[in-house]
Amino acid sequence: QVQLVESGGGLVQAGGSLRLSCAASGRTFSSLVMGWFRQAPGKEREFIARVNWSGGSKDYADSVKGRFAISRDNAKNTVYLQMNSLKPEDTAVYYCAATPYYSSDRRFNYWGQGTQVTVSS
């Protein structure tokens, strides 16, 4: 079983930046594809970004491309989401996710509890 714990959420003004972190345990971190999703009130959970086992391949949703950057540190068992140029519509609960597979359907098996990000206008 994989445990994921997110941190780094909070309140930020539009145009600002935040960095989310997700610490993983329970399985060899380098065997996991890591991702970030978000869910805004009244909306479905949305894929944001993912990174493959080595960090050499990354995939982003169009809504965040050029503003958000995913990275991982396999020595620290941690994945990051750097969020720049934040907009009020980025307000959501952000979830870290993990899976052994890098598949076209972007399905993930393990989920964190989420961290709230609120962007004020």
Side-chain angles (χ1 to χ4, degrees):
Q1 190 73 1
V2 175
Q3 292 80 43
L4 304 171
V5 179
E6 303 98 335
S7 61
L11 175 65
V12 63
Q13 289 189 334
S17 298
L18 278 177
R19 188 177 81 155
L20 305 183
S21 300
C22 172
S25 61
R27 184 164 175 161
T28 302
F29 186 68
S30 59
S31 72
L32 295 170
V33 173
M34 301 300 296
W36 288 96
F37 288 72
R38 68 186 180 189
Q39 187 168 21
K43 294 188 177 181
E44 294 187 352
R45 189 162 55 191
E46 172 191 18
F47 167 80
I48 295 299
R50 63 176 174 172
V51 59
N52 75 343
W53 311 270
S54 67
S57 182
K58 300 173 184 179
D59 184 16
Y60 295 94
D62 288 343
S63 58
V64 305
K65 204 170 290 184
R67 299 189 299 123
F68 291 11
I70 190 171
S71 62
R72 66 188 295 158
D73 186 337
N74 285 352
K76 295 183 178 180
N77 294 350
T78 300
V79 63
Y80 305 97
L81 185 68
Q82 178 67 43
M83 304 186 294
N84 300 325
S85 302
L86 282 161
K87 306 174 181 179
E89 52 263 43
D90 293 318
T91 295
V93 177
Y94 283 71
Y95 296 92
C96 177
T99 177
Y101 313 109
Y102 198 85
S103 61
S104 59
D105 62 6
R106 298 170 172 169
R107 294 184 67 178
F108 284 77
N109 305 99
Y110 307 103
W111 298 88
Q113 293 299 306
T115 186
Q116 177 70 47
V117 171
T118 303
V119 184
S120 64
S121 57

